[in-house]
Amino acid sequence: MAITTVTATKPFILKYNVLAMSIIAICCLPSALRADSSFSPALELSSHGYQLKSAPAMATDKGAALEVVPSIGWRYQGPRMQSRVDLNHQRVWYKDSQRSPYSLNEFDASNSLSGFDRRLVWTLSASQNHQIRGGGEGAGLFQDRITTVGSLSRTNRYASNLRFSNARHKEAQFALNLSANKLESRRPEQDDLFGNIDNEQFGVSFTTSKAHQHGGVFWRGGGSAFRTHRDDRDRLIRDNGQLQIGIPVLPGLAWMLKGNYEQNSIQNSDFTNEFSSVGTGFEWYFGRVSRLNFTYNTVLSDSEQADFVGADFYLAPSRRSSLSGSWDKRYFGRTVQLAGDYRLRFLTMRLSYTDQLTARSFLEAELVNLGIFVCPDGAADIGDCFTLPGPGYEPAANERLQQFFDLDLNIRDDVILNRQGAFALGYNRSRLTSSLELSSSELRYVEQNRVDRRHNARLQASWRLTPHSRLRTNVRGYKYSFGASDRDDKSWQYEIGWGRDLSSASDINLTARHSRRSSTVESFNYRENRLSVSYMYRF
């Protein structure tokens, strides 16, 4: 069945596009013509040859595509404003008869205004891209718009964030954050049965603490309230708050008082969970900011859970390393939070474990991340970037700071409890840039009797052969166990590429890729081989 050209935006979506882009444009306009702003138009030409085998017949599907992507980017960095706008148009023609030519328009824009020595920061962002939804069950894994344009969902995201914090030298620290996010995902041409997804999320959060624990009573705490509105489902409500007060009894030792409160509920459903507790114990604080805390806690809410021992810690043996975590209780039982960083000049490591209740449409990224890298405009992956030299580094006009994540694979509006552990390792020295990412997660769908499990692994490396050429490799694997059916998937992708800078304004890339998915449900089996060559020219 032939795939037709992607249609135009609906009027009410266009309204949000115009509104978001207009606000950003108004903020950006005063500085758009200043000398310290920069424009970067570019043109990319790509050719793809592919061979696919997909269930049920696993017949070979051969074809070729020509892709043309003109784009333009604008950057501005000033003392109180940072702006970024990227626009591109994609046009694809096919040689095979199974697919029809199509065109797409995408944009990504953000504007950040700050004042009062960056104690007040307002950020606006808007984007439109096209994502493979693939039935929401991993069916779109490793597939893209070239071979499966019929599964593309036009996805719009809008966000506004306002953050206020008091002066850093103040003994009593306070920060307040207000956020509003909207996601619109349109039904793909090849219907995946999820229809249009329209969600909004509004939140407020705050943190407070005493800057130094040494000398008198100290405290730390915070809270948040989030409301997630789902167009076709009931609203998700999440509130929480916590406070710890320390009273010194001996040098380096304090008597602790602790209180926690949490509420999670879905309107008009049986999912209503309220949990609160109070506790007391002791904390040993040492070094500049390190601490180790143990408390005995009593459950106050109407819950069958018994009293429990909790702990939390923060260890910072040096300015380059830290490890923090907690062992507590929530409405579902024991909870563990863990986060660790180790940073050298050429090496970064991150370790994390957490549990998070959220609507999946706002689970924007997994917890696997390598931290912040400096990337030139047009960088496609971490292999084109280098580690942040230091916290005071100011990117050049053609550079940007980017934090690399392993993006979530599905857009759905289910409410899930995601429990995940992750490890990431990044290395950048001389001519080699590499990263290793490992993660394992359990996704519990609270509105269904279903638990999915997922294991991810990724190894990526870039080797600079000469000052103007580089070799790239990428190996990525997933293992899925779907709780709603007797189905297990194993997916792998192997990729090798070569790139060369022809001049300061142009480069060429050659990529060979093999993707496969083996499933216990035969209809999800998939194989693909692809060879691509692309040429980029920056005007």
Side-chain angles (χ1 to χ4, degrees):
M1 181 179 65
I3 296 171
T4 58
T5 304
V6 177
T7 56
T9 348
K10 291 185 178 179
F12 73 93
I13 299 178
L14 183 60
K15 176 184 68 176
Y16 286 109
N17 285 354
V18 173
L19 177 61
M21 293 299 291
S22 299
I23 294 176
I24 293 174
I26 291 171
C27 294
C28 298
L29 188 60
S31 60
L33 302 178
R34 293 178 57 173
D36 44 7
S37 64
S38 63
F39 289 90
S40 53
L43 177 65
E44 183 176 11
L45 305 175
S46 302
S47 179
H48 309 273
Y50 46 84
Q51 181 187 73
L52 297 87
K53 292 183 179 181
S54 56
M58 294 298 287
T60 301
D61 174 12
K62 296 181 180 180
L66 175 64
E67 178 184 12
V68 178
V69 183
S71 63
I72 186 170
W74 175 72
R75 301 287 185 274
Y76 171 78
Q77 287 197 352
R80 294 181 179 84
M81 186 171 80
Q82 295 82 41
S83 302
R84 173 181 57 83
V85 179
D86 292 298
L87 305 170
N88 72 73
H89 173 79
Q90 181 190 39
R91 178 71 177 175
V92 179
W93 294 269
Y94 291 98
K95 183 180 179 180
D96 56 283
S97 60
Q98 293 185 342
R99 298 168 179 86
S100 299
Y102 71 91
S103 60
L104 301 174
N105 294 308
E106 298 185 330
F107 68 85
D108 189 1
S110 68
N111 188 76
S112 179
L113 297 170
S114 62
F116 305 103
D117 194 23
R118 293 195 63 81
R119 295 197 300 271
L120 182 65
V121 181
W122 179 37
T123 302
L124 280 171
S125 63
S127 67
Q128 175 176 287
N129 58 22
H130 294 79
Q131 292 185 227
I132 298 287
R133 290 216 311 209
E137 298 288 354
L141 186 61
F142 297 148
Q143 299 180 2
D144 61 19
R145 62 187 65 186
I146 296 299
T147 55
T148 52
V149 62
S151 297
L152 284 178
S153 165
R154 185 183 63 249
T155 304
N156 296 76
R157 292 184 174 89
Y158 314 95
S160 177
N161 186 278
L162 181 65
R163 176 179 173 81
F164 171 78
S165 58
N166 62 346
R168 297 180 181 179
H169 66 272
K170 296 291 186 180
E171 188 69 10
Q173 292 289 297
F174 177 81
L176 176 68
N177 194 82
L178 304 175
S179 64
N181 297 274
K182 182 176 180 62
L183 178 140
E184 299 170 339
S185 177
R186 300 300 98 193
R187 177 190 289 110
E189 184 177 333
Q190 295 178 356
D191 195 355
D192 61 358
L193 304 181
F194 290 110
N196 295 332
I197 297 177
D198 296 280
N199 290 349
E200 297 177 342
Q201 185 180 83
F202 304 94
V204 55
S205 62
F206 74 94
T207 59
T208 179
S209 65
K210 185 179 179 182
H212 302 93
Q213 295 185 180
H214 305 277
V217 176
F218 60 89
W219 71 91
R220 54 181 173 269
S224 65
F226 286 91
R227 301 292 183 268
T228 302
H229 301 265
R230 301 178 293 170
D231 189 50
D232 293 328
R233 299 196 184 186
D234 293 310
R235 182 173 59 170
L236 171 64
I237 298 172
R238 295 182 293 142
D239 300 323
N240 73 79
Q242 54 280 327
L243 178 65
Q244 295 188 49
I245 299 175
I247 303 173
V249 293
L250 292 172
L253 185 67
W255 173 41
M256 300 298 298
L257 300 173
K258 175 184 175 182
N260 284 331
Y261 173 78
E262 178 181 16
Q263 178 192 226
N264 299 281
S265 63
I266 300 175
Q267 285 189 332
N268 304 315
S269 77
D270 295 332
F271 183 76
T272 303
N273 299 282
E274 188 173 6
F275 184 83
S276 58
S277 65
V278 295
T280 184
F282 290 95
E283 178 172 288
W284 174 42
Y285 49 94
F286 53 96
R288 191 171 60 92
V289 291
S290 298
R291 68 174 188 270
L292 184 60
N293 178 307
F294 290 95
T295 57
Y296 183 81
N297 302 271
T298 299
V299 178
L300 298 180
S301 54
D302 185 14
S303 172
E304 297 180 359
Q305 299 190 49
D307 298 347
F308 63 97
V309 174
D312 72 80
F313 63 91
Y314 182 84
L315 305 176
S318 71
R319 293 183 179 272
R320 295 181 177 272
S321 60
S322 64
L323 181 66
S324 62
S326 65
W327 185 45
D328 215 327
K329 267 191 178 182
R330 294 182 63 187
Y331 68 92
F332 54 80
R334 280 296 190 178
T335 177
V336 176
Q337 306 287 329
L338 183 66
D341 287 273
Y342 185 65
R343 303 171 300 279
L344 296 176
R345 184 179 179 184
F346 307 108
L347 181 72
T348 62
M349 288 189 292
R350 292 182 61 87
L351 175 68
S352 64
Y353 183 88
T354 189
D355 43 57
Q356 179 186 17
L357 180 75
T358 184
R360 186 157 190 168
S361 58
F362 287 106
L363 186 65
E364 293 296 331
E366 299 294 344
L367 296 176
V368 181
N369 75 82
L370 296 174
I372 299 175
F373 283 70
V374 181
C375 301
D377 288 340
D381 52 46
I382 195 174
D384 300 321
C385 309
F386 57 90
T387 54
L388 185 66
Y393 181 81
E394 292 291 338
N398 61 340
E399 293 179 340
R400 57 190 168 89
L401 299 180
Q402 181 170 337
Q403 191 163 16
F404 284 90
F405 290 95
D406 184 13
L407 295 180
D408 189 59
L409 298 168
N410 299 316
I411 297 178
R412 298 181 56 163
D413 57 1
D414 302 275
V415 174
I416 62 169
L417 174 62
N418 182 31
R419 308 175 95 168
Q420 181 183 44
F423 173 76
L425 175 69
Y427 180 80
N428 188 314
R429 186 173 186 180
S430 185
R431 295 184 293 171
L432 176 65
T433 299
S434 62
S435 66
L436 173 67
E437 304 168 15
L438 304 171
S439 68
S440 181
S441 59
E442 177 187 271
L443 293 88
R444 186 175 299 274
Y445 291 75
V446 302
E447 296 165 301
Q448 309 171 35
N449 184 22
R450 170 181 172 182
V451 178
D452 292 354
R453 290 177 174 82
R454 181 172 63 189
H455 308 284
N456 306 346
R458 179 173 182 174
L459 177 63
Q460 183 171 296
S462 176
W463 178 263
R464 187 162 290 279
L465 301 173
T466 70
H468 300 290
S469 65
R470 57 198 174 275
L471 184 68
R472 304 183 309 275
T473 60
N474 186 6
V475 180
R476 193 169 187 175
Y478 292 90
K479 181 180 178 182
Y480 278 75
S481 296
F482 296 90
S485 60
D486 187 16
R487 175 188 163 196
D488 292 302
D489 287 4
K490 293 181 180 179
S491 302
W492 287 95
Q493 184 178 84
Y494 309 91
E495 186 176 277
I496 185 169
W498 171 82
R500 180 174 176 80
D501 300 325
L502 302 178
S503 68
S504 59
S506 64
D507 56 67
I508 188 170
N509 287 275
L510 179 66
T511 305
R513 189 174 77 185
H514 172 72
S515 307
R516 63 169 57 203
R517 178 174 59 246
S518 300
S519 176
T520 54
V521 179
E522 187 178 355
S523 59
F524 287 98
N525 290 339
Y526 177 81
R527 301 285 188 277
E528 179 181 351
N529 296 311
R530 185 183 300 186
L531 183 64
S532 304
V533 58
S534 65
Y535 171 77
M536 169 76 79
Y537 185 82
R538 292 170 290 276
F539 296 91

